[in-house]
Amino acid sequence: MWRQMRVTRDRSSKWFVSSDEYPYEHFASYCSGSAYFITQDLIRPLFETTRSIPFFWIDDYYITGLLPRGIRPTIHANYLYINSLFVVNVDLVEQRFLSPFGLASLAFAHMPLSVNRLLHVWQHLMINSQSAQKYLNRTYI
Protein backbone atom coordinates (compact mmCIF):
# COMPACT_ATOMS: atom_id res chain seq x y z
CA MET A 1 0.00 0.00 0.00
CA TRP A 2 1.33 3.40 -0.96
CA ARG A 3 0.52 6.41 1.19
CA GLN A 4 1.26 9.91 0.00
CA MET A 5 3.16 8.65 -3.06
CA ARG A 6 4.66 11.67 -4.79
CA VAL A 7 3.39 12.24 -8.33
CA THR A 8 6.24 12.03 -10.86
CA ARG A 9 6.65 15.29 -12.76
CA ASP A 10 9.92 14.36 -14.47
CA ARG A 11 9.12 14.32 -18.21
CA SER A 12 11.80 11.70 -18.90
CA SER A 13 10.17 9.19 -16.53
CA LYS A 14 7.92 6.38 -17.67
CA TRP A 15 5.59 7.43 -14.82
CA PHE A 16 5.43 11.12 -15.72
CA VAL A 17 2.03 12.64 -14.90
CA SER A 18 1.25 16.15 -16.06
CA SER A 19 -0.53 18.65 -13.84
CA ASP A 20 -3.39 18.59 -16.34
CA GLU A 21 -3.81 14.83 -15.82
CA TYR A 22 -3.53 15.03 -12.04
CA PRO A 23 -3.22 18.42 -10.34
CA TYR A 24 -2.14 17.23 -6.88
CA GLU A 25 1.43 16.63 -5.67
CA HIS A 26 0.67 13.29 -4.00
CA PHE A 27 -1.60 10.39 -4.79
CA ALA A 28 -4.14 9.41 -2.17
CA SER A 29 -3.60 5.92 -0.65
CA TYR A 30 -3.66 3.07 -3.14
CA CYS A 31 -2.27 -0.44 -3.56
CA SER A 32 0.70 -1.39 -5.66
CA GLY A 33 -0.26 -3.30 -8.78
CA SER A 34 2.36 -5.90 -7.88
CA ALA A 35 -0.02 -7.47 -5.40
CA TYR A 36 -3.47 -6.60 -4.18
CA PHE A 37 -6.64 -8.45 -3.34
CA ILE A 38 -10.18 -7.24 -3.87
CA THR A 39 -13.04 -8.95 -2.09
CA GLN A 40 -15.87 -10.18 -4.27
CA ASP A 41 -18.44 -7.80 -2.75
CA LEU A 42 -16.47 -4.82 -4.12
CA ILE A 43 -16.18 -5.96 -7.73
CA ARG A 44 -19.62 -4.82 -8.95
CA PRO A 45 -19.59 -1.42 -7.14
CA LEU A 46 -16.07 -0.73 -8.45
CA PHE A 47 -17.12 -1.68 -11.97
CA GLU A 48 -20.24 0.49 -11.81
CA THR A 49 -18.13 3.41 -10.60
CA THR A 50 -16.09 3.25 -13.84
CA ARG A 51 -19.11 4.88 -15.52
CA SER A 52 -18.69 8.04 -13.46
CA ILE A 53 -14.93 8.18 -12.78
CA PRO A 54 -12.85 8.81 -15.93
CA PHE A 55 -10.08 6.30 -16.64
CA PHE A 56 -6.64 7.20 -15.30
CA TRP A 57 -3.74 5.50 -17.08
CA ILE A 58 -1.92 4.45 -13.90
CA ASP A 59 -4.22 1.49 -13.41
CA ASP A 60 -3.00 0.66 -9.87
CA TYR A 61 -4.14 4.07 -8.73
CA TYR A 62 -7.32 4.00 -10.78
CA ILE A 63 -8.50 0.58 -9.54
CA THR A 64 -7.38 0.75 -5.91
CA GLY A 65 -7.33 4.49 -5.31
CA LEU A 66 -9.83 6.45 -7.41
CA LEU A 67 -12.58 3.85 -7.82
CA PRO A 68 -12.87 3.00 -4.09
CA ARG A 69 -13.29 6.72 -3.35
CA GLY A 70 -16.06 6.79 -5.94
CA ILE A 71 -18.18 4.17 -4.14
CA ARG A 72 -18.15 6.09 -0.85
CA PRO A 73 -20.22 6.86 1.22
CA THR A 74 -22.40 3.89 0.17
CA ILE A 75 -19.59 1.35 0.61
CA HIS A 76 -16.32 1.87 2.42
CA ALA A 77 -13.32 -0.07 1.09
CA ASN A 78 -10.72 -0.83 3.76
CA TYR A 79 -7.03 -1.06 3.01
CA LEU A 80 -5.01 -3.78 4.71
CA TYR A 81 -1.33 -2.92 5.09
CA ILE A 82 0.66 -5.99 3.91
CA ASN A 83 3.88 -4.26 2.89
CA SER A 84 5.94 -6.41 5.25
CA LEU A 85 5.03 -9.44 3.10
CA PHE A 86 6.40 -7.83 -0.04
CA VAL A 87 10.08 -7.94 -0.97
CA VAL A 88 11.71 -5.96 -3.78
CA ASN A 89 15.43 -6.53 -3.13
CA VAL A 90 16.51 -9.43 -5.38
CA ASP A 91 19.00 -10.89 -2.90
CA LEU A 92 16.42 -10.78 -0.09
CA VAL A 93 13.92 -12.60 -2.30
CA GLU A 94 16.34 -15.47 -2.76
CA GLN A 95 17.47 -15.40 0.85
CA ARG A 96 13.91 -15.54 2.19
CA PHE A 97 12.64 -18.12 -0.30
CA LEU A 98 15.67 -20.37 0.12
CA SER A 99 15.73 -20.22 3.93
CA PRO A 100 13.89 -22.89 5.95
CA PHE A 101 11.47 -20.26 7.25
CA GLY A 102 11.08 -18.31 4.01
CA LEU A 103 8.26 -20.36 2.56
CA ALA A 104 5.99 -19.37 5.43
CA SER A 105 7.05 -15.74 5.69
CA LEU A 106 7.15 -14.38 2.14
CA ALA A 107 4.02 -13.77 0.14
CA PHE A 108 5.02 -11.51 -2.77
CA ALA A 109 8.25 -10.62 -4.47
CA HIS A 110 9.81 -9.11 -7.56
CA MET A 111 12.02 -11.74 -9.11
CA PRO A 112 15.41 -11.15 -10.71
CA LEU A 113 15.83 -10.82 -14.45
CA SER A 114 18.26 -13.75 -14.47
CA VAL A 115 16.48 -16.88 -15.67
CA ASN A 116 19.00 -19.07 -13.84
CA ARG A 117 18.31 -17.38 -10.49
CA LEU A 118 14.57 -17.61 -11.06
CA LEU A 119 14.83 -21.30 -11.98
CA HIS A 120 16.94 -21.98 -8.88
CA VAL A 121 14.32 -20.42 -6.58
CA TRP A 122 11.46 -22.15 -8.44
CA GLN A 123 13.11 -25.59 -8.12
CA HIS A 124 13.66 -25.00 -4.41
CA LEU A 125 10.01 -24.10 -3.98
CA MET A 126 8.81 -27.18 -5.86
CA ILE A 127 10.98 -29.48 -3.77
CA ASN A 128 10.38 -27.91 -0.35
CA SER A 129 6.87 -26.52 -0.39
CA GLN A 130 4.12 -28.76 0.98
CA SER A 131 1.56 -26.82 -1.05
CA ALA A 132 3.53 -27.43 -4.23
CA GLN A 133 3.81 -31.13 -3.44
CA LYS A 134 0.05 -31.40 -2.96
CA TYR A 135 -0.47 -29.64 -6.29
CA LEU A 136 2.05 -31.79 -8.16
CA ASN A 137 0.62 -35.03 -6.69
CA ARG A 138 -2.99 -34.37 -7.72
CA THR A 139 -4.80 -36.99 -9.72
CA TYR A 140 -6.88 -35.65 -12.58
CA ILE A 141 -9.91 -37.46 -13.99
Side-chain angles (χ1 to χ4, degrees):
M1 183 175 159
W2 301 113
R3 295 175 196 242
Q4 293 293 305
M5 174 68 80
R6 181 173 283 286
V7 177
T8 302
R9 302 291 187 204
D10 177 1
R11 291 185 183 278
S12 65
S13 171
K14 170 184 174 179
W15 302 110
F16 167 73
V17 177
S18 72
S19 296
D20 292 337
E21 291 175 293
Y22 192 82
Y24 310 104
E25 289 304 310
H26 294 91
F27 290 113
S29 296
Y30 73 100
C31 298
S32 166
S34 303
Y36 61 82
F37 304 97
I38 299 175
T39 56
Q40 190 173 3
D41 60 319
L42 288 176
I43 299 297
R44 181 169 298 283
L46 290 173
F47 172 73
E48 290 172 356
T49 303
T50 63
R51 295 180 183 138
S52 60
I53 304 238
F55 179 72
F56 187 71
W57 67 273
I58 299 178
D59 57 331
D60 305 1
Y61 184 62
Y62 182 69
I63 294 169
T64 67
L66 290 173
L67 293 180
R69 281 165 195 71
I71 60 176
R72 291 180 187 154
T74 311
I75 299 170
H76 185 76
N78 293 308
Y79 292 92
L80 179 63
Y81 193 79
I82 59 170
N83 292 28
S84 63
L85 301 177
F86 189 79
V87 177
V88 177
N89 180 299
V90 171
D91 294 325
L92 284 179
V93 171
E94 285 184 299
Q95 180 183 346
R96 287 187 61 186
F97 263 123
L98 299 177
S99 78
F101 307 106
L103 296 174
S105 65
L106 180 65
F108 312 103
H110 276 290
M111 290 306 301
L113 295 175
S114 164
V115 174
N116 290 332
R117 288 177 85 175
L118 179 60
L119 182 60
H120 176 69
V121 171
W122 178 253
Q123 288 171 335
H124 178 81
L125 287 173
M126 291 299 102
I127 292 168
N128 296 300
S129 168
Q130 291 178 351
S131 298
Q133 291 303 317
K134 288 178 189 175
Y135 176 78
L136 293 173
N137 293 327
R138 281 185 177 164
T139 303
Y140 295 92
I141 297 174

PDB file of all heavy atoms in Angstrom, residues 137-141:
ATOM      1  N   ASN A 137       1.076 -33.648  -6.891  1.00  0.00           N
ATOM      2  CA  ASN A 137       0.623 -35.035  -6.688  1.00  0.00           C
ATOM      3  C   ASN A 137      -0.862 -35.238  -6.937  1.00  0.00           C
ATOM      4  O   ASN A 137      -1.388 -36.305  -6.659  1.00  0.00           O
ATOM      5  CB  ASN A 137       0.987 -35.499  -5.269  1.00  0.00           C
ATOM      6  CG  ASN A 137       2.489 -35.611  -5.095  1.00  0.00           C
ATOM      7  OD1 ASN A 137       3.191 -35.946  -6.035  1.00  0.00           O
ATOM      8  ND2 ASN A 137       2.967 -35.329  -3.905  1.00  0.00           N
ATOM      9  N   ARG A 138      -1.568 -34.230  -7.445  1.00  0.00           N
ATOM     10  CA  ARG A 138      -2.987 -34.372  -7.724  1.00  0.00           C
ATOM     11  C   ARG A 138      -3.239 -35.413  -8.805  1.00  0.00           C
ATOM     12  O   ARG A 138      -2.447 -35.566  -9.726  1.00  0.00           O
ATOM     13  CB  ARG A 138      -3.586 -33.048  -8.223  1.00  0.00           C
ATOM     14  CG  ARG A 138      -3.862 -32.069  -7.160  1.00  0.00           C
ATOM     15  CD  ARG A 138      -4.559 -30.879  -7.778  1.00  0.00           C
ATOM     16  NE  ARG A 138      -4.914 -29.928  -6.764  1.00  0.00           N
ATOM     17  CZ  ARG A 138      -5.249 -28.691  -7.017  1.00  0.00           C
ATOM     18  NH1 ARG A 138      -5.318 -28.251  -8.231  1.00  0.00           N
ATOM     19  NH2 ARG A 138      -5.565 -27.882  -6.028  1.00  0.00           N
ATOM     20  N   THR A 139      -4.364 -36.064  -8.686  1.00  0.00           N
ATOM     21  CA  THR A 139      -4.802 -36.986  -9.717  1.00  0.00           C
ATOM     22  C   THR A 139      -5.960 -36.326 -10.455  1.00  0.00           C
ATOM     23  O   THR A 139      -6.925 -35.887  -9.843  1.00  0.00           O
ATOM     24  CB  THR A 139      -5.284 -38.312  -9.099  1.00  0.00           C
ATOM     25  OG1 THR A 139      -4.221 -38.856  -8.327  1.00  0.00           O
ATOM     26  CG2 THR A 139      -5.687 -39.295 -10.180  1.00  0.00           C
ATOM     27  N   TYR A 140      -5.841 -36.256 -11.778  1.00  0.00           N
ATOM     28  CA  TYR A 140      -6.879 -35.645 -12.579  1.00  0.00           C
ATOM     29  C   TYR A 140      -7.719 -36.725 -13.245  1.00  0.00           C
ATOM     30  O   TYR A 140      -7.212 -37.744 -13.681  1.00  0.00           O
ATOM     31  CB  TYR A 140      -6.277 -34.721 -13.648  1.00  0.00           C
ATOM     32  CG  TYR A 140      -5.557 -33.539 -13.063  1.00  0.00           C
ATOM     33  CD1 TYR A 140      -4.193 -33.588 -12.790  1.00  0.00           C
ATOM     34  CD2 TYR A 140      -6.261 -32.406 -12.724  1.00  0.00           C
ATOM     35  CE1 TYR A 140      -3.555 -32.507 -12.229  1.00  0.00           C
ATOM     36  CE2 TYR A 140      -5.628 -31.313 -12.145  1.00  0.00           C
ATOM     37  CZ  TYR A 140      -4.269 -31.374 -11.914  1.00  0.00           C
ATOM     38  OH  TYR A 140      -3.634 -30.309 -11.343  1.00  0.00           O
ATOM     39  N   ILE A 141      -9.021 -36.496 -13.338  1.00  0.00           N
ATOM     40  CA  ILE A 141      -9.911 -37.462 -13.988  1.00  0.00           C
ATOM     41  C   ILE A 141     -10.270 -36.964 -15.364  1.00  0.00           C
ATOM     42  O   ILE A 141     -10.527 -35.848 -15.615  1.00  0.00           O
ATOM     43  CB  ILE A 141     -11.203 -37.666 -13.132  1.00  0.00           C
ATOM     44  CG1 ILE A 141     -10.797 -38.248 -11.802  1.00  0.00           C
ATOM     45  CG2 ILE A 141     -12.180 -38.550 -13.879  1.00  0.00           C
ATOM     46  CD1 ILE A 141     -11.936 -38.351 -10.836  1.00  0.00           C
TER      47      ILE A 141
END
